[in-house]
Amino acid sequence: MLPLPFFIKRLPFCSANVIHHSYCEHMAVVKLACADTTFNNIYGIVVAFFIGGLDMAFIICSYVLILRAVFQLASTEARTKALGTCASHICAILSFYVPAILSSVVHRFGTNVPNHIHILLANVYMMLPPLINPIVYGVKTKQIRTRVKSFFSLHFIISTNISSDAAKADSVQQSHRNGRQHR
């Protein structure tokens, strides 16, 4: 991250100085430059893939070791619980890496992509992980899962009762109308 401001500082900028993002993203600033930004683009993509590649290599190595240990457990219940924890970790990892990679690739190679798509991807990259993490890890907690189920079942029961009461009221009104028509 440290060399990025220095790489941007050496670029000349023209009249446009407005970044159409909700935060200052490196590639959005680079796109404002009037000069050739090939070096910044190549450096950014190499660093992104290098860091992402190293992260993925370490994550894969860790999970290979974890899965070896999990499958050596004697209890099926312990294996299931450990695999459930691994699954939630993988969901949390994917909620960070997928938007990051997608945003980076679209910025560098998406020449005809509208500005609002860049903004949307950048915001998803910033907002998705903190929004998804409590859900991913909260689903694992039995007390939270029970409260959510009771909340939705209560709303389902209320909406069902309201709709069935409305249907009864409609049928009563209809029978009253039919009774008046026959007189």
Side-chain angles (χ1 to χ4, degrees):
M1 292 304 293
L2 183 62
L4 295 180
F6 296 114
F7 292 155
I8 288 177
K9 186 177 180 177
R10 69 176 184 79
L11 294 173
F13 292 94
C14 299
S15 60
N17 60 359
V18 176
I19 299 173
H20 299 286
H21 277 279
S22 51
Y23 64 95
C24 185
E25 189 179 38
H26 172 72
M27 284 309 297
V29 176
V30 169
K31 285 186 175 185
L32 295 176
C34 298
D36 182 29
T37 59
T38 305
F39 179 76
N40 289 61
N41 288 333
I42 291 172
Y43 178 81
I45 199 78
V46 166
V47 167
F49 279 115
F50 181 72
I51 290 172
L54 277 179
D55 284 354
M56 285 298 133
F58 287 133
I59 290 168
I60 289 170
C61 287
S62 297
Y63 271 99
V64 166
L65 296 174
I66 290 168
L67 290 175
R68 278 184 42 202
V70 165
F71 288 123
Q72 290 176 356
L73 294 173
S75 167
T76 306
E77 183 180 332
R79 267 187 251 137
T80 305
K81 189 172 182 178
L83 289 174
T85 302
C86 288
S88 61
H89 290 167
I90 290 171
C91 287
I93 290 167
L94 288 176
S95 76
F96 173 76
Y97 279 105
V98 169
I101 291 170
L102 192 61
S103 179
S104 179
V105 168
V106 167
H107 252 303
R108 283 167 179 82
F109 302 116
T111 56
N112 295 328
V113 176
N115 229 4
H116 65 276
I117 299 297
H118 288 292
I119 295 167
L120 176 68
L121 288 174
N123 289 338
V124 166
Y125 165 65
M126 291 298 287
M127 300 296 285
L128 188 68
L131 288 172
I132 294 292
N133 277 345
I135 295 169
V136 167
Y137 291 113
V139 168
K140 300 281 302 163
T141 308
K142 186 176 182 180
Q143 294 149 330
I144 294 174
R145 197 171 51 240
T146 304
R147 290 288 293 218
V148 169
K149 283 181 184 177
S150 68
F151 176 77
F152 283 116
S153 65
L154 179 66
H155 282 285
F156 178 74
I157 290 169
I158 290 171
S159 66
T160 305
N161 287 342
I162 290 171
S163 63
S164 66
D165 290 344
K168 288 177 188 175
D170 287 343
S171 67
V172 168
Q173 287 177 351
Q174 186 68 25
S175 65
H176 285 292
R177 284 187 212 133
N178 289 343
R180 289 183 199 152
Q181 289 175 355
H182 293 294
R183 289 185 193 170

